[in-house]
Amino acid sequence: RLPIRSVDGVILGRNAQISTQVIFELLELSIPVIYIDEHGKIIGNLCNEKQTAARLLRQIEIFGNVDRQISLTQEIITEKIFNQYNLLKQYTKTKDADKLANKIKRLKTQVEKVNSLSDIEEIRGVEGMASKIYFSAFPDLIDLTRWNWKGRSQHPATDPVNALLNYGYAFLEREVRIAVALAGMDARIGFFHSNDGRKDSLIFDMMEFFRQPVIDRFILSLLNKKMIQPENFSVTDDECRLTDDGRIIFCNRYEEYMAKEYREYGGKNSRDVIVERVRKFSEYLNR
């Protein structure tokens, strides 16, 4: 029902199918096809990427320069911590401002530290500390009588809130992969995350711009507006994950959220903001 040229990307689960003819049409239009497993994790993708040898060499040259690596890392981590700061600041209007005040102040201090460092490992340390401070504020943002939270646990998730965060970041990874492909950059070559061949470093670098303003904002809204319920999760001794019904609720709400236009985004929706921010980053590299 959609004109194919209006499609930014196609995401397929294990039991979904599209014809070879559709795949050809998508690739000819440089529309990526992304394959995911039942946890939302990407297992592969097809894309007629817009890279040229000159752009690839330029990306390698920039990210191989230690001074540029440090400068870009400072930029991205500064923006990430500001995003954490801003999200907590927004919640002072509806939650206990006094409880959040100390954490907001400490995040501001971490930003100042980032700009004074010239070693990527030290910057990683500050980024880790800022995330610890930020997530320590979550008990003040959610209803603890409904949701168990003992801190950030990534893989496997041990509670519903972490399960939602992990699932949301998997969705964000797909959004960023599409944006990076559209911008003509090579996903494998990044500057902050490891370039050791085990993961597409640039994708994880670019995700740092959007974790708080896009995904965390959405997850907290789901929880606080009771759009998802504790019974939408399956908990075992090993992990906590969304049920089939929970995934349907999440996906429907997510698409509504990503399509919604926000005044603070200049009338754009979150998906447009991701594509535009990644494109601007790509243009910045080529100056």
Side-chain angles (χ1 to χ4, degrees), residues 31-268:
I31 300 171
V33 182
I34 297 174
Y35 296 86
I36 62 170
D37 65 13
E38 59 274 17
H39 303 294
K41 183 179 178 182
I42 293 174
I43 59 174
N45 63 85
L46 297 172
C47 183
N48 180 10
E49 297 174 344
K50 298 179 179 180
Q51 297 164 6
T52 64
R55 285 176 67 87
L56 176 59
L57 290 171
R58 177 65 174 153
Q59 193 174 333
I60 293 171
E61 176 191 349
I62 291 170
F63 294 167
N65 182 303
V66 175
D67 290 338
R68 288 299 298 276
Q69 274 189 328
I70 292 169
S71 174
L72 291 168
T73 297
Q74 287 175 323
E75 177 186 341
I76 200 169
I77 298 307
T78 296
E79 187 165 332
K80 177 180 181 178
I81 299 174
F82 264 123
N83 287 338
Q84 294 170 336
Y85 171 93
N86 287 333
L87 189 145
L88 295 187
K89 193 79 173 173
Q90 288 169 12
Y91 270 92
T92 59
K93 300 172 185 176
T94 56
K95 302 293 181 180
D96 190 329
D98 291 336
K99 288 184 177 180
L100 294 172
N102 178 256
K103 283 142 187 155
I104 291 170
K105 183 179 179 180
R106 290 171 66 195
L107 284 174
K108 199 168 184 179
T109 302
Q110 298 305 308
V111 171
E112 294 166 0
K113 286 184 181 178
V114 169
N115 294 319
S116 69
L117 298 174
S118 57
D119 180 88
I120 287 181
E121 286 304 319
E122 291 180 351
I123 296 172
R124 285 193 178 104
V126 173
E127 185 266 343
M129 178 56 69
S131 291
K132 187 175 180 180
I133 294 167
Y134 168 73
F135 282 117
S136 74
F138 266 49
D140 304 318
L141 306 181
I142 60 177
D143 183 356
L144 294 180
T145 64
R146 288 171 53 82
W147 304 108
N148 178 34
W149 173 264
K150 294 181 180 178
R152 183 76 177 107
S153 63
Q154 298 185 21
H155 300 288
T158 56
D159 60 77
V161 180
N162 276 296
L164 284 174
L165 288 170
N166 290 351
Y167 205 60
Y169 293 150
F171 274 61
L172 177 61
E173 181 185 343
R174 299 198 291 274
E175 303 284 355
V176 171
R177 281 186 181 276
I178 291 170
V180 166
L182 293 172
M185 292 189 289
D186 191 300
R188 298 168 295 178
I189 304 167
F191 52 93
F192 177 60
H193 291 86
S194 172
N195 281 311
D196 56 12
R198 289 179 296 175
K199 59 187 177 184
D200 291 339
S201 302
L202 185 62
I203 302 301
F204 294 92
D205 288 347
M206 295 294 95
M207 284 174 65
E208 301 297 354
F209 286 129
F210 312 111
R211 290 181 187 272
Q212 287 72 44
V214 177
I215 298 302
D216 293 4
R217 177 181 178 178
F218 169 61
I219 299 301
L220 288 167
S221 178
L222 274 183
L223 296 168
N224 288 323
K225 293 180 179 178
K226 299 182 180 179
M227 291 186 281
I228 201 157
Q229 306 298 327
E231 55 265 30
N232 296 133
F233 296 86
S234 170
V235 183
T236 67
D237 292 338
D238 298 322
E239 68 176 328
C240 175
R241 65 169 71 172
L242 282 159
T243 63
D244 289 343
D245 288 343
R247 284 195 289 271
I248 291 170
I249 292 169
F250 184 99
C251 291
N252 288 338
R253 295 294 187 181
Y254 178 81
E255 285 305 319
E256 291 172 5
Y257 170 78
M258 293 300 286
K260 184 177 178 180
E261 296 174 348
Y262 290 93
R263 187 171 52 191
E264 61 263 41
Y265 291 162
K268 298 183 179 69

